[in-house]
């Protein structure tokens, strides 16, 4: 049985008149009669009592009408869901992010804006090590990822810069360097550096101070980095957004002398994205960038 059978039956059941139902459906009365006969043959049951003057539902027809209407309603919902999914209004997006994207407030802002505009889209978010995120976007485990360039990316992954966020130094409060308001890069030459998720700031401090930083293995997320600083294990060059959001006992933040050390947060995505809902998210971010 096909949806056309349900539509024809429902039209006759609601009008109880074959000619009016046929007009409503845009077909001829004989064609409609044939459709009803097909249904009755398929079900092996009479659905209508028919005389020359009246049409009425049989008891089987009354039961069938309830289910037929439910079927048509479900079909209509399925059609509308498919159309909305094609427009990117329904679906799911898997998003990876690094901690500093949350500390900056960028992640929360963009997710909130998208959820307000597209409440039926499910956004699944997961924090992950930055060096794994571009590959997961490439292989389809993630659709999008908030990262800090530079980071190696597969050829099919591109990124869009969303926010610029300079680097600052995180120091143990008891360090003699903490007495300085502005910190020359060369003064850090004898320190041990705890590497955050993006090491480019540390590399640039070493270049400016003309030394090779002695590094401690990356302990994980930025909270772990700042925790080690608070314990006197070393210093760290971290995004300024961390200075504004992470206040931990025993840690102070200082600007580095000279031109600011640039950092950024970007969105990694596939170059040839096919998902309508992911395209809608990207469109939102591109519009944000254009408006800046």
């Amino acid at each position: 049985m096909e949806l056309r059978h349900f539509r024809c039956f429902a039209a006759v059941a609601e009008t109880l008149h074959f000619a009016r139902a046929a007009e409503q459906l845009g077909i001829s009365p004989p064609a409609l009669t044939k459709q009803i006969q097909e249904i009755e043959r398929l079900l092996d049951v009479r659905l209508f009592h028919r005389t020359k003057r009246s049409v009425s539902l049989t008891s089987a027809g009354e039961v069938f009408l309830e289910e037929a209407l439910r079927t048509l309603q479900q079909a209509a919902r399925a059609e509308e869901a498919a159309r909305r999914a094609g427009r990117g209004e329904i679906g799911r997006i898997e998003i990876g992010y690094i901690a500093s994207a949350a500390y900056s407030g960028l992640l929360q802002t963009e997710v909130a804006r998208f959820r307000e505009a597209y409440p039926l889209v499910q956004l699944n978010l997961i924090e992950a090590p930055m060096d794994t995120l571009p590959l997961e976007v490439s292989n389809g485990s993630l659709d999008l990822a908030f990262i800090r360039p530079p980071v190696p990316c597969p050829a099919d992954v591109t990124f869009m810069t969303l926010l610029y966020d300079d680097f600052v130094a995180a120091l143990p409060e008891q360090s003699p360097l903490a007495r300085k308001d502005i910190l020359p890069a060369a003064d850090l030459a004898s320190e041990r550096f705890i590497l955050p998720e993006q090491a480019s700031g540390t590399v640039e401090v070493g270049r400016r101070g003309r030394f090779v930083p002695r590094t401690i293995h990356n302990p994980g997320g930025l909270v772990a980095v700042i925790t080690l600083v608070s314990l006197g294990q070393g210093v760290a060059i971290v995004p300024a957004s961390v200075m504004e959001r992470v206040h931990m006992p025993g840690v102070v933040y200082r600007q580095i002398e000279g031109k600011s050390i640039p950092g950024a947060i970007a969105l990694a995505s596939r170059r040839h994205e096919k998902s309508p809902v992911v395209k809608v998210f990207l469109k939102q971010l591109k519009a944000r960038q254009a408006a800046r």
Side-chain angles (χ1 to χ4, degrees):
M1 194 174 296
E2 301 177 17
L3 281 176
R4 60 185 170 86
H5 292 117
F6 290 99
R7 293 190 179 103
C8 289
F9 169 75
V12 176
E14 289 172 350
T15 62
L16 295 178
H17 196 285
F18 273 75
R20 284 200 295 270
E23 183 180 1
Q24 177 181 311
L25 293 167
I27 62 176
S28 67
L32 177 57
T33 298
K34 183 178 179 181
Q35 294 293 319
I36 298 300
Q37 290 172 342
E38 281 185 15
I39 300 171
E40 292 180 326
R41 186 173 65 254
L42 287 167
L43 297 176
D44 193 25
V45 68
R46 291 290 298 274
L47 298 173
F48 294 100
H49 294 298
R50 283 165 281 193
T51 69
K52 290 184 178 180
R53 294 186 177 182
S54 68
V55 176
S56 62
L57 284 165
T58 65
S59 58
E62 290 175 353
V63 172
F64 186 64
L65 176 60
E66 182 179 344
E67 297 300 329
L69 292 175
R70 186 176 291 126
T71 298
L72 290 171
Q73 290 167 356
Q74 180 58 46
R77 284 195 293 270
E79 291 174 4
E80 179 59 18
R83 292 190 184 98
R84 298 189 75 171
R87 296 192 298 264
E89 298 173 7
I90 297 176
R92 183 179 68 189
I93 305 177
E94 303 289 338
I95 301 175
Y97 67 92
I98 55 172
S100 61
Y103 296 144
S104 70
L106 174 68
L107 182 67
Q108 294 90 329
T109 298
E110 295 306 326
V111 166
R113 287 178 64 230
F114 189 82
R115 280 182 170 152
E116 182 178 3
Y118 301 95
L120 298 180
V121 175
Q122 179 181 345
L123 300 181
N124 296 329
L125 295 104
I126 181 170
E127 183 182 355
M130 189 171 67
D131 56 355
T132 69
L133 291 175
L135 182 59
E136 291 189 64
V137 171
S138 177
N139 66 26
S141 299
L142 296 173
D143 296 305
L144 302 167
F146 288 81
I147 62 173
R148 276 190 175 275
V151 58
C153 286
D156 63 337
V157 173
T158 185
F159 65 84
M160 170 176 33
T161 300
L162 303 174
L163 177 73
Y164 291 97
D165 185 14
D166 298 335
F167 286 96
V168 297
L171 310 169
E173 189 174 37
Q174 300 305 318
S175 170
L177 297 176
R179 303 187 190 116
K180 299 184 178 182
D181 294 329
I182 303 294
L183 195 59
D187 287 5
L188 293 163
S190 62
E191 300 295 323
R192 292 191 302 172
F193 288 81
I194 304 162
L195 290 179
E197 57 205 1
Q198 178 50 266
S200 62
T202 305
V203 172
E204 176 59 17
V205 165
R207 189 195 67 79
R208 292 186 182 187
R210 299 188 178 185
F211 65 90
V212 176
R214 295 185 301 138
T215 60
I216 298 175
H217 183 67
N218 187 333
L222 282 170
V223 170
V225 170
I226 300 303
T227 298
L228 289 185
V229 173
S230 74
L231 295 172
Q233 298 299 300
V235 302
I237 307 302
V238 298
S241 56
V242 177
M243 173 177 66
E244 298 165 0
R245 299 287 190 273
V246 181
H247 303 284
M248 191 174 293
V251 177
V252 296
Y253 298 95
R254 294 293 182 263
Q255 299 288 339
I256 299 167
E257 187 177 73
K259 187 178 179 181
S260 62
I261 300 176
I265 297 175
L267 185 75
S269 63
R270 290 179 285 271
R271 290 186 183 274
H272 306 292
E273 182 56 61
K274 296 180 181 179
S275 166
V277 68
V278 176
K279 287 181 178 179
V280 168
F281 196 101
L282 289 168
K283 184 178 179 181
Q284 170 185 289
L285 289 174
K286 289 175 181 176
R288 176 187 184 278
Q289 292 303 95
R292 290 180 61 185

